[in-house]
Amino acid sequence: MGMIRMAVQDGADLDGFRNAVRTLVAHHALPDTVVWSTANDNDLFGAAMPDASGAPAVSLPRDVADLIKLAICHSDPERFALLYQLVWRVLHGERALLEVQSDPLAHRLQLMAKSVQRDIHKMHAFLRFRETKDPDGTERFVAWFEPEHHILDAAVPFFIERFRGMVWSILTPQGARHWDRETLVEGPPAHKSDAPDSDAFEAAWKSYYESIFNPARVNPAAMRQHMPKKYWRNLPEAAAIADLVREAPQRAREMIEREAAMPAKRDPKKAVAAMAEQEPKSLEALNALIAASEPLTPGADHAVLGEGPIGADIAFVGEQPGDQEDLEGKPFIGPAGQMLDKALEEVGIDRRRVYVTNAVKHFKFEPRGKRRIHKKPNPGEVKRYRWWLTKELEFVRPKLVVALGGTALLSLTGKPLSVMRSRGPLQLGEFPGYATVHPSYLLRIPDPAVKEEAYEAFRHDLQRIKKLAAT
Ligand code: URA
């Protein structure tokens, strides 16, 4: 057979590659007889292959399939040829090829996959949204990012999960993705000048970054490694880094003093201020402080306190009370609470014997007619309640703390972690913990089959939680 030309899209064209592989394997095409051309190559040569319809699917070991998904996003134009070499060899007797560390092909592809993973991580960590208004007045958050590899579609689900309730656009030189709270729409490649430069959001982000910056952890070398200069120009907080590093020792001292004084500073009411000068000595004293604190939104006047026995094996931490919780003054009694109760009962966890609380103790909402629409607390608000949550858990002393969703995870770790990536056992501050999705996430899934699957995964988490707490 002469040379064969396979056309794929110049990007992370997994479908195109899969189809091509089916056809090539069905024709027993040796890797060095194939020329891979991307849609914008114009020096094509060789005979084009027919498309893959009818060719049987190619079954590959899991590690190979996973590696293909990552390495195909790499910017190296040779990626398709290298991956086909891998597929060919795996199908011809070398099923465990990826375990052979000394094999140059396996090694090279694994480095490529790592580089893609790092790029996705950087996009998650360093992309910054800036606030804009659409012509019709809609509040839209717009971000500009220049990925090194073709990672846009691999990175975007993280932003959907995190900023599901916002309207946003991510612009890159490879394409744009626009989210309108329900659907994701693709847009053409963008230019940096399409994104706004700075705004009030940037100032707020910078101050948030300063407030979560932990001076005890300063390591400029590590910081440079994780936050290469290339990204700094898009980062509002980069302006704060030099000062923060210089001031770190002083800030560490101040932080220690401030932590001790937190309730007094936070509490507006004189009656409890005297009490707050000393650290609360009991959960009741702490709850009195919380109950007297200002709500996030006027009208949400109950602080919804944690509920359950001190010494409970498990403490579940949610995001914030909802409408019904605010009215009744009890956590997790509305739709999300009912979903949680159902799953707890099915796996045999007695709700009366666990502790249930929230990262944020007041309902934040937007009035719409007669209805009060839940609004996600922002990181600054989560931080405001963090001290309380930590103290609360110190009094309850659970064996295991469960973060239900991203807000709880942010509050318990101080870091904006992805729930899906952190899912499972992990340390949450001083407590052994477990991260899983928030039950309201399950309620929002429209497709019944997907919802059922997600509910099953949630129940599986609860089973593991039950086991962990029993040991
Ligand atoms: N969602 C939460 O996170 N907490 C509640 O108490 C209710 C709904």
Side-chain angles (χ1 to χ4, degrees):
M1 201 189 278
M3 294 304 275
I4 303 156
R5 170 168 60 81
M6 283 319 298
V8 277
Q9 301 288 324
D10 184 21
D13 185 10
L14 192 57
D15 288 341
F17 179 71
R18 276 198 189 122
N19 282 340
V21 165
R22 277 186 188 192
T23 312
L24 292 170
V25 169
H27 287 78
H28 307 287
L30 288 167
D32 53 9
T33 63
V34 184
V35 178
W36 293 87
S37 71
T38 48
N40 34 13
D41 281 353
N42 44 22
D43 56 344
L44 307 178
F45 59 97
M49 267 281 178
D51 83 59
S53 32
V58 172
S59 153
L60 293 167
R62 181 68 181 265
D63 60 342
V64 175
D66 289 346
L67 181 118
I68 292 174
K69 274 190 213 147
L70 283 171
I72 203 144
C73 303
H74 201 280
S75 53
D76 187 337
E78 282 192 64
R79 63 192 178 282
F80 299 106
L82 295 170
L83 287 171
Y84 184 54
Q85 282 180 39
L86 172 76
V87 170
W88 180 265
R89 288 177 56 189
V90 167
L91 294 178
H92 289 83
E94 294 181 80
R95 279 191 86 73
L97 180 55
L98 288 181
E99 283 159 37
V100 186
Q101 296 296 325
S102 56
D103 185 89
L105 177 67
H107 183 65
R108 179 165 170 193
L109 284 168
Q110 272 155 346
L111 287 182
M112 285 167 70
K114 280 219 179 85
S115 173
V116 167
Q117 256 169 335
R118 265 199 308 277
D119 206 27
I120 295 172
H121 171 73
K122 278 178 196 150
M123 184 157 177
H124 290 166
F126 303 142
L127 179 137
R128 294 290 174 266
F129 288 101
R130 276 137 195 189
E131 195 173 348
T132 63
K133 279 234 185 319
D134 284 353
D136 67 358
T138 308
E139 186 182 60
R140 175 183 297 275
F141 292 88
V142 180
W144 167 254
F145 194 80
E146 292 169 64
E148 197 179 329
H149 303 298
H150 304 283
I151 56 159
L152 185 53
D153 287 316
V156 153
F158 168 91
F159 296 106
I160 296 179
E161 192 205 319
R162 170 137 327 169
F163 303 119
R164 189 177 289 279
M166 290 153 67
V167 175
W168 49 256
S169 295
I170 295 177
L171 311 180
T172 81
Q174 297 163 4
R177 295 292 179 272
H178 308 283
W179 175 253
D180 67 358
R181 299 199 180 98
E182 276 172 11
T183 31
L184 188 71
V185 175
E186 290 188 19
H191 190 266
K192 185 166 171 38
S193 60
D194 300 332
D197 242 4
S198 70
D199 63 2
F201 180 76
E202 186 162 306
W205 180 269
K206 204 166 115 193
S207 78
Y208 167 61
Y209 182 79
E210 283 177 12
S211 71
I212 58 164
F213 178 82
N214 181 348
R217 294 252 186 89
V218 178
N219 176 346
M223 211 151 161
R224 264 195 298 278
Q225 193 187 344
H226 291 294
M227 209 193 245
K229 276 245 162 67
K230 171 176 170 206
Y231 296 98
W232 286 28
R233 59 203 149 100
N234 291 332
L235 289 179
E237 68 269 30
I241 292 172
D243 288 348
L244 288 170
V245 172
R246 198 166 351 94
E247 293 161 9
Q250 172 65 16
R251 282 170 54 83
R253 277 193 298 280
E254 283 171 12
M255 194 181 262
I256 292 162
E257 283 157 21
R258 207 171 39 238
E259 291 279 279
M262 199 73 106
K265 270 186 82 178
R266 294 290 180 243
D267 198 315
K269 299 208 174 151
K270 288 219 170 87
V272 285
M275 208 169 121
E277 257 150 42
Q278 298 142 20
E279 286 212 359
K281 300 279 185 305
S282 66
L283 187 56
E284 294 77 52
L286 178 76
N287 278 342
L289 289 176
I290 300 174
S293 67
E294 295 278 15
L296 290 182
T297 316
D301 23 36
H302 279 109
V304 177
L305 306 172
E307 202 180 48
I310 287 190
D313 284 347
I314 310 172
F316 288 94
V317 181
E319 179 187 274
Q320 65 169 346
D323 186 58
Q324 290 192 38
E325 286 81 9
D326 177 58
L327 295 172
E328 305 260 342
K330 283 171 164 298
F332 278 104
I333 53 161
Q338 286 157 23
M339 174 71 97
L340 177 65
D341 284 357
K342 175 171 177 280
L344 286 175
E345 196 180 326
E346 285 173 2
V347 303
I349 297 177
D350 185 343
R351 161 126 185 205
R352 290 163 307 179
R353 300 185 60 181
V354 298
Y355 191 83
V356 178
T357 190
N358 284 299
V360 167
K361 310 299 186 200
H362 288 97
F363 179 33
K364 183 178 172 192
F365 64 90
E366 204 174 87
R368 206 170 293 159
K370 287 204 176 122
R371 294 175 62 209
R372 304 190 299 173
I373 308 296
H374 166 276
K375 269 194 98 180
K376 197 175 166 65
N378 66 38
E381 287 157 351
V382 175
K383 174 139 202 298
R384 177 179 145 196
Y385 289 88
R386 246 188 117 201
W387 185 89
W388 283 330
L389 178 63
T390 310
K391 280 267 141 220
E392 185 183 7
L393 294 173
E394 281 171 6
F395 286 124
V396 177
R397 293 185 318 280
K399 280 195 198 158
L400 190 74
V401 174
V402 178
L404 296 169
T407 302
L409 201 52
L410 170 65
S411 177
L412 290 162
T413 62
K415 293 182 216 144
L417 301 176
S418 140
V419 176
M420 291 308 182
R421 287 158 152 249
S422 312
R423 195 167 193 168
L426 81 173
Q427 191 67 22
L428 292 174
E430 64 197 81
F431 293 96
Y434 195 102
T436 181
V437 297
H438 192 284
S440 65
Y441 158 77
L442 305 172
L443 291 172
R444 285 194 306 263
I445 300 176
D447 182 317
V450 179
K451 188 180 199 142
E452 183 54 36
E453 205 182 316
Y455 180 69
E456 215 25 67
F458 183 60
R459 271 180 23 149
H460 177 69
D461 281 335
L462 291 179
Q463 268 150 355
R464 290 183 72 194
I465 287 162
K466 186 177 167 191
K467 267 207 197 116
L468 287 168
T471 50

